[in-house]
Short mmCIF file of all heavy atoms in Angstrom, two decimals:
data_model
loop_
_atom_site.label_atom_id
_atom_site.label_comp_id
_atom_site.label_asym_id
_atom_site.label_seq_id
_atom_site.Cartn_x
_atom_site.Cartn_y
_atom_site.Cartn_z
N ARG A 104 29.07 -15.65 98.99
CA ARG A 104 28.45 -17.10 99.09
C ARG A 104 27.15 -17.23 98.35
O ARG A 104 26.88 -18.23 97.58
CB ARG A 104 28.48 -17.65 100.48
CG ARG A 104 29.90 -17.69 101.12
CD ARG A 104 29.74 -18.58 102.29
NE ARG A 104 31.09 -18.66 102.91
CZ ARG A 104 31.57 -18.04 104.07
NH1 ARG A 104 30.72 -17.29 104.78
NH2 ARG A 104 32.77 -18.31 104.57
N LEU A 105 26.37 -16.31 98.55
CA LEU A 105 24.89 -16.35 97.95
C LEU A 105 25.05 -16.28 96.31
O LEU A 105 24.35 -16.94 95.75
CB LEU A 105 24.02 -15.32 98.50
CG LEU A 105 23.17 -15.72 99.80
CD1 LEU A 105 23.99 -16.17 100.87
CD2 LEU A 105 22.12 -14.64 100.21
N LEU A 106 25.88 -15.33 96.01
CA LEU A 106 26.13 -15.21 94.54
C LEU A 106 26.73 -16.37 93.88
O LEU A 106 26.39 -16.70 92.83
CB LEU A 106 26.75 -13.84 94.10
CG LEU A 106 25.96 -12.61 94.46
CD1 LEU A 106 26.92 -11.33 94.27
CD2 LEU A 106 24.69 -12.46 93.46
N MET A 107 27.71 -16.94 94.64
CA MET A 107 28.11 -18.24 94.07
C MET A 107 27.02 -19.27 93.92
O MET A 107 27.10 -19.95 92.84
CB MET A 107 29.28 -18.89 94.96
CG MET A 107 30.53 -18.10 94.95
SD MET A 107 31.79 -18.82 96.08
CE MET A 107 32.95 -17.37 96.29
N GLY A 108 26.21 -19.29 94.75
CA GLY A 108 24.98 -20.18 94.54
C GLY A 108 24.21 -19.74 93.26
O GLY A 108 23.91 -20.66 92.53
N LEU A 109 23.98 -18.54 93.23
CA LEU A 109 23.12 -17.99 92.10
C LEU A 109 23.69 -18.37 90.76
O LEU A 109 22.86 -18.85 89.75
CB LEU A 109 22.85 -16.56 92.30
CG LEU A 109 21.80 -15.95 91.34
CD1 LEU A 109 20.47 -16.48 91.67
CD2 LEU A 109 21.82 -14.36 91.66
N VAL A 110 24.95 -18.27 90.59
CA VAL A 110 25.59 -18.50 89.32
C VAL A 110 25.96 -20.05 89.15
O VAL A 110 26.43 -20.35 88.03
CB VAL A 110 26.86 -17.61 89.09
CG1 VAL A 110 26.46 -16.09 89.14
CG2 VAL A 110 27.97 -17.86 89.91
N ALA A 111 25.97 -20.82 90.12
CA ALA A 111 26.46 -22.16 90.10
C ALA A 111 25.61 -22.88 88.98
O ALA A 111 26.15 -23.99 88.56
CB ALA A 111 26.36 -22.93 91.42
N THR A 112 24.44 -22.63 88.78
CA THR A 112 23.58 -23.37 87.90
C THR A 112 23.27 -22.48 86.65
O THR A 112 22.28 -22.72 86.00
CB THR A 112 22.38 -23.91 88.52
OG1 THR A 112 21.63 -22.77 89.21
CG2 THR A 112 22.63 -24.95 89.57
N ARG A 113 24.11 -21.54 86.37
CA ARG A 113 24.00 -20.73 85.00
C ARG A 113 25.31 -21.13 84.27
O ARG A 113 26.36 -21.10 84.91
CB ARG A 113 24.07 -19.09 85.43
CG ARG A 113 23.08 -18.62 86.27
CD ARG A 113 21.77 -18.40 85.76
NE ARG A 113 20.95 -19.57 85.81
CZ ARG A 113 19.92 -19.92 84.89
NH1 ARG A 113 19.81 -19.20 83.82
NH2 ARG A 113 19.26 -20.98 85.10
N HIS A 114 25.12 -21.49 83.06
CA HIS A 114 26.17 -21.95 82.29
C HIS A 114 27.04 -20.85 81.74
O HIS A 114 27.10 -20.56 80.57
CB HIS A 114 25.60 -22.84 81.13
CG HIS A 114 26.71 -23.61 80.37
ND1 HIS A 114 27.80 -24.06 81.14
CD2 HIS A 114 27.01 -23.83 79.26
CE1 HIS A 114 28.55 -24.69 80.21
NE2 HIS A 114 28.16 -24.54 79.04
N PHE A 115 27.76 -20.20 82.70
CA PHE A 115 28.81 -19.27 82.26
C PHE A 115 29.86 -19.19 83.36
O PHE A 115 29.66 -19.74 84.45
CB PHE A 115 28.14 -17.79 82.05
CG PHE A 115 27.29 -17.17 82.99
CD1 PHE A 115 27.79 -16.63 84.10
CD2 PHE A 115 25.99 -17.09 82.68
CE1 PHE A 115 27.03 -16.00 85.10
CE2 PHE A 115 25.14 -16.39 83.58
CZ PHE A 115 25.63 -15.96 84.88
N ALA A 116 30.87 -18.39 83.12
CA ALA A 116 32.03 -18.28 84.16
C ALA A 116 31.89 -17.13 84.86
O ALA A 116 31.64 -15.97 84.34
CB ALA A 116 33.35 -18.48 83.35
N THR A 117 32.14 -17.06 86.05
CA THR A 117 32.11 -15.72 87.04
C THR A 117 33.38 -15.84 87.87
O THR A 117 33.53 -16.98 88.51
CB THR A 117 30.90 -15.76 87.89
OG1 THR A 117 29.74 -16.09 87.04
CG2 THR A 117 30.71 -14.42 88.53
#
Side-chain angles (χ1 to χ4, degrees):
R104 295 198 179 107
L105 269 59
L106 288 172
M107 283 179 202
L109 192 61
V110 300
T112 50
R113 304 280 90 212
H114 189 39
F115 54 71
T117 313

